[in-house]
Amino acid sequence: MTETHEIRSVLVANRGEIARRVFRTCRDLGIRTVAVHTDLDADALHVRDADVALRVPSYLDGDAVLAAAKEAGLADGGAIHPGYGFLSENAGFAAAVTDAGIAWVGPSPKVIEQMGRKDAARDLAVEAGVPVVPSYDIAEDPATFAYPVLVKAAAGGGGKGMRVVRAAADFDAAVAAAKREAASAFGDDTILVEKYVERGRHIEVQVLGDSHGTVVHLGTRECSVQRRHQKVLEEAPAPALDDELRSRIHASAVDLSASVGYENAGTIEYLLDASTGDFYFLEMNTRLQVEHPVTEIHSGTDLVALQLAVAAGEPLPFDQSGVRFRDHAIEARIYAEDAFAGFLPQAGTATVVRWPDSVVEVRAQRASTPRVDHALESGQVVSTSYDPMLGKVIVSGRDRESARRALVAALDDTAILGLTTNTGFLRVLAAGEEFAVPGGIDTAWLDRHDVPAPDPAPARAVAARLWLDANTAATGPFAGDGFRMGAPAAPVVVEFTDGTVVLPDRPRTVRSNDSVARVSRYHVELAHQGQRYVFDRPDASADHGVAAGDGTVVAPMPGTVLDVRVAVGDTVAEGDVLGVVEAMKMELALKAPYAGTVTAVGAGTGQQVALGAELFVVEGESA
């Protein structure tokens, strides 16, 4: 019989929205909360949410996190929740936690080692009779493979260390890039090679086990809307599955989990071949998933509360017959990236942040009210040091179509100024006819299709009216909130309703229909239906940086220079790679604009560079 014990304190070995999410349930349960933070996050929202906060040099420093837990007194009635990413699937860290007498909110270190690695999990799935994707030995001659193939990291997840290879000539380069990314993200560059299914749907099952031998599923999710193997929209339940297929997928997930004695929350991921109806085991995530809120809404559960109960040795409060499914739920991930410019990562100060009005309770969501899990507020600096996800907007409805419409409305009501996010892209995607078709988008759809940017004309019309009203409602050097002695007028945050403008006593942000704006003398920055725009007066002076066509290559995003392949004096051909910049899991090759000679190299390998920094100059042959 498993011994139960009370959990009185919980340290979350993570940051951002997932730390805040765990703290919310802990507060509901009367459990003391402990945050860890780096210097960069010293004043972050998750730090302010916690009862106690302790500094660590890195969220990947397991020794420092464990030392912080001991300092906070967790050796007596405490637990560590790893969230997702960072140390969440690190079996060595989990073992160190339990060896220190602290409860680990997750499966045992042995199961993490078995199922947290894609190669070991694949072997166990085969033993359990679960179908797996056909694979190749990486040591074999790639010329003998049937292309396309997928190379992917054996450790970790989140789309890191994955590349689709369509020809043998590209295999070695793809493996090298995947190994480099996997080593950086997980400290393990082991790579698997599998058949790549062109028209696959990503279906997953939430499982939950306790230490008393019970394993249940909490239904399916679909996460097929992906960009470069990174999930964008998720929903529960997975649509367009007949009852027989859904039951087989459920049974497969429970059987595999039970075969390894799985405890706590986990997710079994499958690839469903849309052309044949066959499904294949992909991997198991031995942690809470980013998309767990849609399952909580669909199943009426609080997964974090259940995780804590299992970690305390308690049995699950229900068996499979006690799970009651309800509304359809959809989640959209808000990222700091410019989706209409190659998904380039963005950084800067989020000057204005407006999230939709939302509920606080995990399970008590009304169909018309969004849930928002986030860690971003007005005035916060967004850097490229961590994952670009800023928050998640989750909605539900009686059926999928009502949930989809609710998502469009919630994204209309989301506004972030100061830096560009993918909110407008998500809004266009959610409102599009392709997503409206249940199961109509496969995992490679976004890689094959360009989602059209919204027409800026309506936003431009709103901006023009705002500028006119703001600059005629009050005049003179002391008008409005923008006056500053010896400096240009500061931007004014404008409140507007039905086309009128009110200049408040001090800058603040309010809403009008689908827009939020900041207005200054020469510019209007506007978020309209989720999309951020910056409109300039025609006579506004602007520094456009390097003139087009002069051979200067600038950083297209803030990030780290991974590689510099040329030196001053080198001769290059048009399209030759000069260097590689990386930020937020994206690598971008910088190429010579034309044939010529390299006359300047402005950065070295490992250097942090800002958006627009001059990195290379190529003088054309005709110069």
Side-chain angles (χ1 to χ4, degrees):
M1 192 69 176
T2 301
E3 182 178 338
T4 62
H5 52 276
E6 183 183 9
I7 293 178
R8 297 186 295 275
S9 299
V10 169
L11 180 148
V12 179
N14 219 296
R15 65 183 298 275
E17 60 88 17
I18 183 56
R20 302 188 74 206
R21 160 70 191 91
V22 175
F23 290 158
R24 186 163 69 244
T25 289
C26 289
R27 283 195 300 271
D28 291 343
L29 297 175
I31 295 174
R32 174 175 169 261
T33 56
V34 182
V36 290
H37 66 86
T38 60
D39 291 337
L40 193 63
D41 278 345
D43 192 42
L45 280 173
H46 81 275
V47 173
R48 284 180 269 153
D49 278 356
D51 296 318
V52 178
L54 297 169
R55 179 193 174 277
V56 293
S58 166
Y59 296 106
L60 288 169
D61 189 335
D63 291 340
V65 172
L66 189 55
K70 293 176 181 178
E71 182 181 343
L74 266 69
D76 180 19
I80 291 182
H81 194 299
Y84 36 70
F86 295 125
L87 297 167
S88 62
E89 293 181 289
N90 187 312
F93 177 65
V97 170
T98 56
D99 289 346
I102 300 172
W104 171 254
V105 185
S108 69
K110 177 183 177 182
V111 171
I112 293 175
E113 185 65 33
Q114 289 178 316
M115 301 304 291
R117 290 186 57 87
K118 298 179 181 70
D119 48 1
R122 178 189 174 89
D123 293 340
L124 290 169
V126 171
E127 291 178 13
V130 177
V132 298
V133 182
S135 66
Y136 301 94
D137 188 328
I138 195 170
E140 295 176 7
D141 181 359
T144 65
F145 299 166
Y147 290 89
V149 298
L150 180 70
V151 298
K152 65 180 185 180
K160 301 173 186 174
M162 299 179 73
R163 297 291 188 280
V164 177
V165 187
R166 299 191 176 277
D170 302 324
F171 183 80
D172 289 344
V175 169
K179 279 178 170 287
R180 183 168 60 247
E181 196 171 275
S184 174
F186 315 121
D188 185 337
D189 67 355
T190 305
I191 296 294
L192 303 179
V193 185
E194 295 178 343
K195 168 189 173 182
Y196 179 66
V197 177
E198 292 279 10
R199 296 289 194 274
R201 292 174 59 192
H202 181 114
I203 308 296
E204 56 189 41
V205 178
Q206 177 71 58
V207 294
L208 193 64
D210 62 23
S211 56
H212 302 264
T214 300
V215 178
V216 301
H217 71 79
L218 297 181
T220 56
R221 295 189 289 258
E222 172 140 20
C223 310
S224 297
V225 185
Q226 301 181 7
R227 192 266 308 167
R228 298 170 186 163
H229 311 294
Q230 180 67 58
K231 299 167 186 175
V232 177
L233 297 175
E234 303 106 340
E235 57 186 305
L241 300 179
D242 62 52
D243 292 343
E244 189 272 339
L245 177 58
R246 193 183 302 274
S247 294
R248 285 196 290 126
I249 293 174
H250 285 161
S252 170
V254 171
D255 290 347
L256 178 55
S257 302
S259 73
V260 297
Y262 196 85
E263 298 177 16
N264 221 280
T267 294
I268 307 284
E269 297 190 349
Y270 296 97
L271 182 67
L272 176 66
D273 190 331
S275 63
T276 66
D278 296 328
F279 67 93
Y280 305 104
F281 169 78
L282 285 177
E283 64 186 57
M284 183 174 198
N285 289 305
T286 56
R287 52 172 169 79
L288 200 63
Q289 292 278 87
V290 175
E291 58 271 23
H292 76 274
V294 295
T295 292
E296 292 183 319
I297 294 167
H298 177 51
S299 62
T301 57
D302 181 334
L303 276 168
V304 173
L306 292 168
Q307 283 191 293
L308 294 173
V310 169
E314 299 175 13
L316 289 175
F318 48 76
D319 58 15
Q320 193 63 61
S321 64
V323 179
R324 294 287 184 267
F325 296 116
R326 52 187 74 182
D327 289 355
H328 196 101
I330 308 176
E331 173 181 284
R333 301 188 186 192
I334 309 298
Y335 285 103
E337 63 184 15
D338 191 345
F340 297 117
F343 295 94
L344 293 180
Q346 303 292 297
T349 301
T351 53
V352 175
V353 177
R354 186 192 78 189
W355 297 105
D357 290 335
S358 60
V359 294
V360 176
E361 299 83 0
V362 170
R363 290 172 289 182
Q365 177 164 357
R366 303 190 312 273
S368 60
T369 307
R371 166 178 162 182
V372 180
D373 288 7
H374 76 90
L376 184 71
E377 61 182 349
S378 297
Q380 186 170 325
V381 174
V382 176
S383 79
T384 59
S385 298
Y386 299 114
D387 189 272
M389 191 174 72
L390 305 175
K392 305 176 302 195
V393 176
I394 310 105
V395 298
S396 69
R398 291 184 300 275
D399 52 37
R400 185 178 188 274
E401 177 58 19
S402 60
R404 186 187 69 85
R405 292 196 302 267
L407 179 60
V408 174
L411 293 172
D412 280 345
D413 210 23
T414 301
I416 298 173
L417 301 181
L419 74 158
T420 298
T421 72
N422 69 335
T423 310
F425 167 81
L426 294 171
R427 199 268 185 197
V428 173
L429 190 61
E433 60 184 22
E434 293 85 1
F435 186 68
V437 177
I441 293 182
D442 60 73
T443 56
W445 189 89
L446 278 178
D447 297 328
R448 298 192 308 268
H449 296 82
D450 290 328
V451 176
D455 181 3
R460 185 181 292 111
V462 172
R465 180 55 193 253
L466 285 174
W467 183 91
L468 178 64
D469 288 349
N471 285 276
T472 58
T475 59
F478 300 98
D481 296 290
F483 175 74
R484 292 186 297 191
M485 185 70 71
V492 178
V493 179
V494 177
E495 171 182 284
F496 56 103
T497 305
D498 300 326
T500 63
V501 173
V502 177
L503 297 179
D505 292 338
R506 56 178 59 88
R508 59 191 179 96
T509 305
V510 293
R511 64 196 66 193
S512 171
N513 299 330
D514 302 330
S515 302
V516 164
R518 286 174 62 88
V519 182
S520 64
R521 183 176 179 184
Y522 291 107
H523 314 280
V524 176
E525 183 185 10
L526 178 74
H528 180 71
Q529 295 185 338
Q531 182 64 23
R532 173 179 175 257
Y533 302 91
V534 179
F535 297 110
D536 299 327
R537 263 181 55 176
D539 60 341
S541 61
D543 178 8
H544 296 291
V546 181
D550 73 349
T552 300
V553 178
V554 302
M557 58 186 181
T560 303
V561 177
L562 283 185
D563 192 13
V564 174
R565 301 185 184 179
V566 295
V568 174
D570 286 355
T571 300
V572 295
E574 180 179 345
D576 281 357
V577 176
L578 308 176
V580 179
V581 175
E582 184 272 340
M584 296 179 179
K585 299 187 288 189
M586 176 183 289
E587 293 183 12
L588 194 67
L590 306 180
K591 300 180 180 181
Y594 38 65
T597 302
V598 177
T599 60
V601 176
T605 301
Q607 184 174 335
Q608 297 285 324
V609 294
L611 174 68
E614 297 180 15
L615 303 183
F616 305 97
V617 178
V618 177
E619 184 175 295
E621 293 175 342
S622 61

